[in-house]
Amino acid sequence: AKRRRKPLRHSRCGCGKETTAGNMDERSIGFRTGHRDVIHDVEYDQFGKRLATCSADHFIHVYDAKQDGSGWKVTNSWKAHSGAVWRVSWANPEFGQLLASCSEDQSVCIWEEEESQGEEDGTTWQKKFVIVDAKDAVQDVAFSPSHIGLRLATASRDGYLRVYEAADVMNLGGWAVTDEVLVEREGGLLCVSWNKSRFDPVMLVVGSSIGAIRVFSYDDTY
């Protein structure tokens, strides 16, 4: 007879809720994040050893995986915006430890992890640049794949897709807009993603509030 798979239980958070996971590893590690409101986004870094979360409480938290594999520990937490933070994005680590965040306050922030100054050990995340081109909330932000450089795409409620590029990857204090396209006037844009393939033209896809997506290429628009 076919063996019946037992329902999964979250092993760390103590909520007792049952889940099913098909062929997934039958382990689930839950933990309290410290956020005081809705978590809008959570992102692994390139190596799966770090997590970044953002929330309606205006904060970003960064967590590192514990060496014994037992879970995650918060290493940094800071107020990043004056409104709800909708998305976070890790840059490729070849550019350093960089995060981008976007918010209801209509801004995009570039953050870099640096060694703490003074007597305290550890690191802090320093704001390197603020982008304020959007006329409404910025709903999504995404760093480009590393083979096309250090670029950043944003999707905003004002309907615009905007792409920025760092003037100097060693000095993150200067970002210039390279592309600005009005995609959707009614309701705006909700999400954006880069095509990560090295073998295709550089492409971006955006999703709108009217249930449509559009794919943009640096050669063509589909």
Side-chain angles (χ1 to χ4, degrees):
K2 186 176 180 180
R3 184 181 176 184
R4 182 175 179 270
R5 181 179 294 276
K6 295 180 180 179
L8 302 184
R9 293 185 183 274
H10 298 285
S11 60
R12 300 290 176 185
C13 63
C15 67
K17 293 181 179 179
E18 295 186 353
T19 62
T20 56
N23 293 323
M24 290 178 65
D25 188 358
E26 294 191 2
R27 292 177 298 173
S28 174
I29 298 175
F31 62 95
R32 294 294 182 183
T33 65
H35 283 295
R36 299 186 300 275
D37 209 329
V38 176
I39 295 173
H40 288 143
D41 196 17
V42 57
E43 293 286 334
Y44 275 110
D45 75 342
Q46 184 86 357
F47 303 111
K49 300 300 184 183
R50 312 192 81 182
L51 290 173
T53 59
C54 64
S55 168
D57 65 8
H58 307 180
F59 275 72
I60 293 173
H61 294 186
V62 173
Y63 314 83
D64 288 349
K66 295 180 180 179
Q67 291 186 351
D68 62 4
S70 63
W72 300 83
K73 60 180 180 181
V74 61
T75 55
N76 289 102
S77 174
W78 68 97
K79 185 176 180 179
H81 291 269
S82 61
V85 189
W86 290 114
R87 294 288 185 269
V88 287
S89 178
W90 293 91
N92 189 286
E94 74 177 66
F95 301 112
Q97 292 296 301
L98 306 181
L99 280 170
S101 59
C102 62
S103 172
E104 187 71 20
D105 68 11
Q106 305 181 18
S107 72
V108 173
C109 293
I110 311 295
W111 307 91
E112 183 176 26
E113 188 177 32
E114 298 180 351
E115 294 294 327
S116 296
Q117 301 296 319
E119 298 180 358
E120 294 186 5
D121 295 330
T123 63
T124 60
W125 287 83
Q126 298 295 319
K127 186 188 296 183
K128 293 297 182 178
F129 198 73
V130 182
I131 297 170
V132 289
D133 293 329
K135 303 302 186 293
D136 206 329
V138 185
Q139 304 274 67
D140 200 5
V141 61
F143 276 113
S144 66
S146 61
H147 64 271
I148 62 172
L150 187 55
R151 300 187 192 184
L152 188 69
T154 67
S156 303
R157 204 179 292 157
D158 63 10
Y160 278 86
L161 165 66
R162 296 178 177 91
V163 179
Y164 301 85
E165 187 169 15
D168 180 357
V169 298
M170 302 303 294
N171 177 14
L172 300 174
W175 291 74
V177 61
T178 59
D179 296 278
E180 186 174 39
V181 182
L182 178 58
V183 182
E184 177 55 56
R185 292 183 182 274
E186 300 297 328
L189 302 180
L190 297 177
C191 49
V192 60
S193 180
W194 295 86
N195 179 356
K196 297 175 177 61
S197 172
R198 293 175 175 268
F199 306 106
D200 294 326
V202 177
M203 290 189 287
L204 284 159
V205 60
V206 293
S208 74
S209 60
I210 63 169
I213 65 171
R214 289 186 67 183
V215 180
F216 293 88
S217 168
Y218 276 78
D219 293 331
D220 276 310
T221 300
Y222 295 85

